[in-house]
Structures are given as C-alpha cells and as structure tokens.
Amino acid sequence: MTPARTGSPDSLRLALGSTRLRVGLAFVLVLLMVLGVRLFQLQALDLNGMAQAGLSKRLTSTAVQPVRGSIVDMNGKYFARSVERYDIVVDQRLSAVDDFRRYNEELEDWEIIPMDQGLAELAAVLGTDEETLRAAVLGEKTFNYVQKSVTPDVKNRALAVKVPGVYADETSVRTYPAGPVAGSIIGYVGTDGNARSGLEVSLDDQLTGEAGSRTFEIGGDGIRIPYATNEDVPAVDGQSVKLTIDQDLQWFAQQTIASQVKDYNAEWGNIVVVEAKTGAIRAMAESTTLDPNDPEATPADKRSPNSVSASFEPGSTTKVITLAAALEQKLIEPTSKFVLDNRYTVDDQTFKDSSEHGTEHRTAAGILAKSMNTGTVQIGEKLTKQERYDWLKKFGIGEPLGTGLGEENQGLLTTPDKWDERQQYTVLFGQGLTQTALHTAMVYQTIANDGVRLKPRLIDAYIDPDGTEHKVPQDEGTEVVSDETAVEMRKMLETVTEEGSGKSGELEQYRVGSKTGTAEAPSASGGYDGYTLSYAGIAPIEDPEYVVVITLQRPKGDLYYLIPGESFQKVMKQVLNSNNVPASTSKPDIYPVEY
C-alpha cells in the first residue's frame, strides 16, 4: 500500500476549512465583543445620555397642590373650606395616535378604540363639544389643561375612557358655606387661586401650605408604567384657623344693622360685640357685606369691614375717657358739683350743648348722663394738654388694633403740640380725632374689665392638618385705670341709661351701662355733611360680660328720633340669652345727676 503524500489535495482542503472556521469564529467573537462593549457603553455608561434621554421622554412630573386650610367660627362652623376637585390635563405628545387599546370588562379582552371615538366619549363625560376637546388634547405640548376643577366622579369617568396622555391633577376649590355671614372679614380667593381680601389675604401663609410633586413614567400608549420610576414628594396642607366669631350671632347682628341702616337711609352702619373679660370679638357686622361666593356682586368700595377700616370722629362716646382720667387723677368725684349754662368759654373758645337750656346744677355723673359738652370741657380743662393726649393713648386711641386683618385703620390722634386752641378741648368730647368702631368697643371693654385694656382677639387658634390646635396666647392686658375708677365709671354709665341719653338701650332683665355719641361727619370737600351716631353699652353692668357698640354713618332724618339704642337692645339681648348669662337680680345703682 502506498502512503498518502503530505500536501495532498484532501489534506489541504481540510486545513483550509479549519482555518476559515477559526477565522470566522474569531470574527464573530470580535463582533460580539464590540457589540457588548457598545451595549455596555449605552446601557451602563450612557456616554451619549441616550438612556437618560429616553427616560426623560417617558417621565412626567406634576405638582401636588396642598389643601388650603379652613376658616371656622368659635364652634367649628365653616366660614371657608376647600373641597376635593381635579384638573383633567394632557401630555399631547402621547395623544398623537390613531387608536389605542382599552380593556373591555364585559368581553374580558382588550379592544382597539379609534381616537375619534375616544375623544367623543371624553367630550360627553366632560360636557364639552368635541371640537373644543380635540383642540385641548391634540398638539405638541407636554402639558395642557383639558378641563379644570371637576368632581371626583367626573374625574373617574374621564380617566376610564383611557385616552392616551390624559390624566388628572388633584386640586381643590374654595367654598364659603356661610355666604355673606362675616364675608367682609373672611374675604375671598379668586378663580386664579390667589387670595384677594380679608383674612384670606392676611393669613395666606398659614392657610396655603406647601406644594408637593409626583414624578412617574408613561409608556408610548399613554398609560402609566407600573413599578417604574415613581417619586412622590407629599404636599403639606395648610393650617385651619378658628375665629372668636360666633356665626349665629354674626348673622343676627348683620340682619339687625342692615335693617336699621335701611330704615334710617344711612350711608352704612356696623355692630361690634366684644367679650369684656377676654377681648374676644364675637361679632363684627356690617350693613353691607361681601359674599365670598359672588364677590363681584358687591361694589369694591363696600367689601372692607368698616368696623376696623372706617375711621370717623366718635363724638360723645369718648367722654368716658375724659371722666375716667379725671377720676383716676382724683381731680373730681362722681358727685362733684358744677354750675352749667348752655355755653362755656375758655381761651376765647366757646362751646355749647346740643340743646338749649338755662343754668343747671349738675354732678359729674349728671354731666355724663346728659352728655353735656360744657361740663365735659370744665372737667377736662383740669388736665394738661399732655395729660389729655396721654389718656387717649392709654385707652388705645390712635393705636393699631392688631386683629390680624390687613385692612385696619388705626385712626388719627395728632400730638398735643399740633393741636390748635380749639382742638385741645374738642378732643375731650370726641371731635378732632378719629377712631374705628372697634376702638370704641375696646374703650368700653377696658371700663368693663376693671380698668384693664386687652387687645381685641379675632383669631382663637391655628389648627394643623392632623387636628392639633395651637391656641393664640391670651393677652395679659394693660391696666389703664384702677378697678376702683372702673367701678365708679360703670355706675356712672348705668346712670346714663337710667337718667340720661342711654334710655333707648334699657333691657328688662339686665342692668345696662351705656353712652350715646353724636358727631359731625366731615365731608370729602371740606366742612361737614352729616352726622355719625353711636351707642356703646355694657351688660350686665354689675358683672360685665359683653360690650356692644352700634355705629350709624350719615343717617337721614331728625336726629332726635334716630335711636341706635334699638339695635343695641336686640343684639345685647341676643348675646346674653344665647350664652345663658343669668338675669340681673339687683336693682340699678346710680349717682344723682343734679344737686
């Protein structure tokens, strides 16, 4: 047998095939290595940011709005609250499809829905026409509103249509269940979500809270991808605010003053009710008030709470300051005697009483009871100019009120070096200075509270979203006059009710101390063009619980027949009865008015 020769055709072909196989395998390995490296670059290193770009394209971020805190009365009744609503929004990039898949519960299978059909269904759910809806859903925007502020039910039905890119942002809408009750105090939030007036503005930081955010991935079909990127930063809801206002009393006071303003054809009027021993404002009622649900229905110049924003010359209600100062400095006693004619002249300035009378012999208590300017000037001139100013300041005249409302007017009290020869005396009976109705109420609160002046309290507490209540600290108060002087003043005020100008405010079951006021109302063009009438009262005078102040601006008619005490009667009776204040069991204790 002849052996095969080396280099034969068969062996050459075998060697060549083996080489090609090795080269091919090597080429494939190199190619796989290159692809692996490239895949590692793309997926792990992402040198060109392609993965991140893809993720960014899928990610959708939405703001999570906090729920605005409520405003409630002293008993928790709502003045303002936010209710759950949703904005239907769309990422238009995801809606650029001809059809989409939707699971049919009845068929237990997926079905293809043409986009035109989906838009028609969505338009029916939202109660809008298809053309308007199509313009909102289709386009190139990453975010667009489809419909704002829909109820949870509408939201659920809208999302059930499954139009790609359409989803819902949780939001809320502000409602005012009490309507115009305390509306000027509460204020309102505009349709744009911005606070516009009242406590809604001044307490906006506390009520608003902090927004959160929600970030998630959406697939090409517009459906959220489960278990993908999901980052939630929860919103922090705003605090709620509890007021000292009694909603029922506020309503009653508003009805009462609106009726009297209408009867007297007055420009405006208000009623302020303050708790004597705490300074808590239980009612602050205006004759015309804002309805926060329909703010445009009230003229812009009538939306503010005049009780704190309107400053006017108070007139004779200020005489209590002059009498209290003279008593405190031991310059007079309640029974000090004065001889009074209808006119009194000092420093070439002549003052007269509101009605003509001959020579009268009056006590200091009688001067207050009959509201005599001549006698008030005689008592007040015993004080120096600086003392007159200092006493007005001690009682809070010209001082900020500090209720938390941003529309406060602190009034006007110029320093004594700027007083002319007449003003130095007119301030003794409430002319030549201005104050608000709440200022007047706090003067009488001081007398009712044994001479201790408190800051008026409108805000009782702040309440966290979890219900934790933070009480606003009680003001310790400032002693203005001694309790002895306060007791004497209350007895003098009861004398006014029993023997003087305050008779119209008498109550059958309660002893009342009061003072009336009549002041000329200055005209915008100079001079005077009407009057400001007021009635300030305390009850029960033997153990004071409440102060009620009535103010009427420019009422029409004969002043002799205009009686703001009627409104005082109604409101003081209401507040005493509704708070179960025991009726007075003792008889009136008054000073003699003549000698």
PDB file of all heavy atoms in Angstrom, residues 126 207 225 269 273 283 301 349 420 442 448 527 530 546 595:
ATOM      1  N   LEU A 126     -67.101  65.098  29.949  1.00  0.00           N
ATOM      2  CA  LEU A 126     -66.740  66.425  30.453  1.00  0.00           C
ATOM      3  C   LEU A 126     -67.788  67.486  30.123  1.00  0.00           C
ATOM      4  O   LEU A 126     -67.679  68.624  30.584  1.00  0.00           O
ATOM      5  CB  LEU A 126     -65.386  66.851  29.892  1.00  0.00           C
ATOM      6  CG  LEU A 126     -64.194  65.968  30.287  1.00  0.00           C
ATOM      7  CD1 LEU A 126     -62.919  66.476  29.630  1.00  0.00           C
ATOM      8  CD2 LEU A 126     -64.038  65.923  31.802  1.00  0.00           C
ATOM      9  N   LEU A 207     -52.652  79.543  55.742  1.00  0.00           N
ATOM     10  CA  LEU A 207     -53.704  78.766  55.092  1.00  0.00           C
ATOM     11  C   LEU A 207     -53.205  77.958  53.899  1.00  0.00           C
ATOM     12  O   LEU A 207     -53.736  76.897  53.591  1.00  0.00           O
ATOM     13  CB  LEU A 207     -54.827  79.702  54.629  1.00  0.00           C
ATOM     14  CG  LEU A 207     -55.651  80.385  55.721  1.00  0.00           C
ATOM     15  CD1 LEU A 207     -56.478  81.519  55.120  1.00  0.00           C
ATOM     16  CD2 LEU A 207     -56.560  79.386  56.422  1.00  0.00           C
ATOM     17  N   ILE A 225     -46.534  53.395  33.631  1.00  0.00           N
ATOM     18  CA  ILE A 225     -45.804  52.133  33.690  1.00  0.00           C
ATOM     19  C   ILE A 225     -45.697  51.685  35.148  1.00  0.00           C
ATOM     20  O   ILE A 225     -45.101  52.389  35.977  1.00  0.00           O
ATOM     21  CB  ILE A 225     -44.396  52.279  33.097  1.00  0.00           C
ATOM     22  CG1 ILE A 225     -44.480  52.753  31.637  1.00  0.00           C
ATOM     23  CG2 ILE A 225     -43.629  50.971  33.197  1.00  0.00           C
ATOM     24  CD1 ILE A 225     -43.130  53.044  31.022  1.00  0.00           C
ATOM     25  N   GLY A 269     -73.601 101.208  58.382  1.00  0.00           N
ATOM     26  CA  GLY A 269     -73.639 101.008  59.826  1.00  0.00           C
ATOM     27  C   GLY A 269     -72.926  99.726  60.186  1.00  0.00           C
ATOM     28  O   GLY A 269     -72.671  98.863  59.333  1.00  0.00           O
ATOM     29  N   VAL A 273     -69.457  93.326  68.779  1.00  0.00           N
ATOM     30  CA  VAL A 273     -69.708  92.660  70.063  1.00  0.00           C
ATOM     31  C   VAL A 273     -68.392  92.092  70.571  1.00  0.00           C
ATOM     32  O   VAL A 273     -67.740  91.303  69.867  1.00  0.00           O
ATOM     33  CB  VAL A 273     -70.743  91.533  69.924  1.00  0.00           C
ATOM     34  CG1 VAL A 273     -71.009  90.885  71.292  1.00  0.00           C
ATOM     35  CG2 VAL A 273     -72.043  92.049  69.318  1.00  0.00           C
ATOM     36  N   ALA A 283     -68.816  89.243  67.364  1.00  0.00           N
ATOM     37  CA  ALA A 283     -69.471  89.645  66.114  1.00  0.00           C
ATOM     38  C   ALA A 283     -68.884  90.970  65.673  1.00  0.00           C
ATOM     39  O   ALA A 283     -68.523  91.810  66.497  1.00  0.00           O
ATOM     40  CB  ALA A 283     -70.982  89.764  66.291  1.00  0.00           C
ATOM     41  N   ASP A 301     -65.755  99.224  46.843  1.00  0.00           N
ATOM     42  CA  ASP A 301     -65.587 100.121  47.983  1.00  0.00           C
ATOM     43  C   ASP A 301     -66.446  99.725  49.182  1.00  0.00           C
ATOM     44  O   ASP A 301     -66.416 100.385  50.220  1.00  0.00           O
ATOM     45  CB  ASP A 301     -65.887 101.567  47.588  1.00  0.00           C
ATOM     46  CG  ASP A 301     -67.320 101.763  47.110  1.00  0.00           C
ATOM     47  OD1 ASP A 301     -68.008 100.759  46.844  1.00  0.00           O
ATOM     48  OD2 ASP A 301     -67.749 102.929  47.005  1.00  0.00           O
ATOM     49  N   GLN A 349     -62.437 130.341  73.265  1.00  0.00           N
ATOM     50  CA  GLN A 349     -63.169 129.312  72.517  1.00  0.00           C
ATOM     51  C   GLN A 349     -64.482 129.021  73.247  1.00  0.00           C
ATOM     52  O   GLN A 349     -64.473 128.722  74.440  1.00  0.00           O
ATOM     53  CB  GLN A 349     -62.345 128.027  72.403  1.00  0.00           C
ATOM     54  CG  GLN A 349     -61.024 128.198  71.689  1.00  0.00           C
ATOM     55  CD  GLN A 349     -61.194 128.613  70.239  1.00  0.00           C
ATOM     56  OE1 GLN A 349     -62.071 128.085  69.537  1.00  0.00           O
ATOM     57  NE2 GLN A 349     -60.361 129.542  69.787  1.00  0.00           N
ATOM     58  N   ASP A 420     -54.593 122.968  67.830  1.00  0.00           N
ATOM     59  CA  ASP A 420     -54.835 124.414  67.876  1.00  0.00           C
ATOM     60  C   ASP A 420     -55.611 124.740  69.148  1.00  0.00           C
ATOM     61  O   ASP A 420     -55.911 123.866  69.967  1.00  0.00           O
ATOM     62  CB  ASP A 420     -55.565 124.901  66.622  1.00  0.00           C
ATOM     63  CG  ASP A 420     -56.914 124.230  66.420  1.00  0.00           C
ATOM     64  OD1 ASP A 420     -57.538 123.816  67.415  1.00  0.00           O
ATOM     65  OD2 ASP A 420     -57.350 124.127  65.253  1.00  0.00           O
ATOM     66  N   MET A 442     -63.279  98.757  72.426  1.00  0.00           N
ATOM     67  CA  MET A 442     -62.209  98.388  73.348  1.00  0.00           C
ATOM     68  C   MET A 442     -62.049  99.413  74.477  1.00  0.00           C
ATOM     69  O   MET A 442     -61.537  99.073  75.551  1.00  0.00           O
ATOM     70  CB  MET A 442     -60.898  98.206  72.584  1.00  0.00           C
ATOM     71  CG  MET A 442     -60.939  97.104  71.523  1.00  0.00           C
ATOM     72  SD  MET A 442     -61.736  95.550  72.055  1.00  0.00           S
ATOM     73  CE  MET A 442     -60.549  94.966  73.277  1.00  0.00           C
ATOM     74  N   ALA A 448     -65.273  97.893  81.417  1.00  0.00           N
ATOM     75  CA  ALA A 448     -65.987  96.688  81.848  1.00  0.00           C
ATOM     76  C   ALA A 448     -65.065  95.688  82.539  1.00  0.00           C
ATOM     77  O   ALA A 448     -65.511  94.907  83.387  1.00  0.00           O
ATOM     78  CB  ALA A 448     -66.650  96.031  80.641  1.00  0.00           C
ATOM     79  N   GLY A 527     -65.574 120.829  55.401  1.00  0.00           N
ATOM     80  CA  GLY A 527     -66.743 121.072  56.212  1.00  0.00           C
ATOM     81  C   GLY A 527     -67.392 119.778  56.669  1.00  0.00           C
ATOM     82  O   GLY A 527     -66.752 118.719  56.723  1.00  0.00           O
ATOM     83  N   GLY A 530     -73.129 115.755  57.513  1.00  0.00           N
ATOM     84  CA  GLY A 530     -73.992 114.774  58.154  1.00  0.00           C
ATOM     85  C   GLY A 530     -73.490 114.470  59.551  1.00  0.00           C
ATOM     86  O   GLY A 530     -72.673 115.216  60.111  1.00  0.00           O
ATOM     87  N   TYR A 546     -70.390  91.441  78.296  1.00  0.00           N
ATOM     88  CA  TYR A 546     -70.282  91.840  76.891  1.00  0.00           C
ATOM     89  C   TYR A 546     -70.378  93.348  76.719  1.00  0.00           C
ATOM     90  O   TYR A 546     -71.042  94.046  77.489  1.00  0.00           O
ATOM     91  CB  TYR A 546     -71.366  91.158  76.049  1.00  0.00           C
ATOM     92  CG  TYR A 546     -71.215  89.670  76.002  1.00  0.00           C
ATOM     93  CD1 TYR A 546     -71.953  88.850  76.864  1.00  0.00           C
ATOM     94  CD2 TYR A 546     -70.313  89.067  75.119  1.00  0.00           C
ATOM     95  CE1 TYR A 546     -71.792  87.474  76.846  1.00  0.00           C
ATOM     96  CE2 TYR A 546     -70.154  87.690  75.103  1.00  0.00           C
ATOM     97  CZ  TYR A 546     -70.893  86.898  75.966  1.00  0.00           C
ATOM     98  OH  TYR A 546     -70.724  85.546  75.948  1.00  0.00           O
ATOM     99  N   TYR A 595     -78.057 118.537  91.883  1.00  0.00           N
ATOM    100  CA  TYR A 595     -77.942 118.836  93.325  1.00  0.00           C
ATOM    101  C   TYR A 595     -78.710 120.111  93.613  1.00  0.00           C
ATOM    102  O   TYR A 595     -79.046 120.882  92.719  1.00  0.00           O
ATOM    103  CB  TYR A 595     -76.475 118.952  93.753  1.00  0.00           C
ATOM    104  CG  TYR A 595     -75.731 120.120  93.143  1.00  0.00           C
ATOM    105  CD1 TYR A 595     -75.666 121.347  93.807  1.00  0.00           C
ATOM    106  CD2 TYR A 595     -75.106 120.004  91.905  1.00  0.00           C
ATOM    107  CE1 TYR A 595     -74.981 122.429  93.256  1.00  0.00           C
ATOM    108  CE2 TYR A 595     -74.426 121.066  91.348  1.00  0.00           C
ATOM    109  CZ  TYR A 595     -74.367 122.277  92.033  1.00  0.00           C
ATOM    110  OH  TYR A 595     -73.705 123.341  91.469  1.00  0.00           O
TER     111      TYR A 595
END
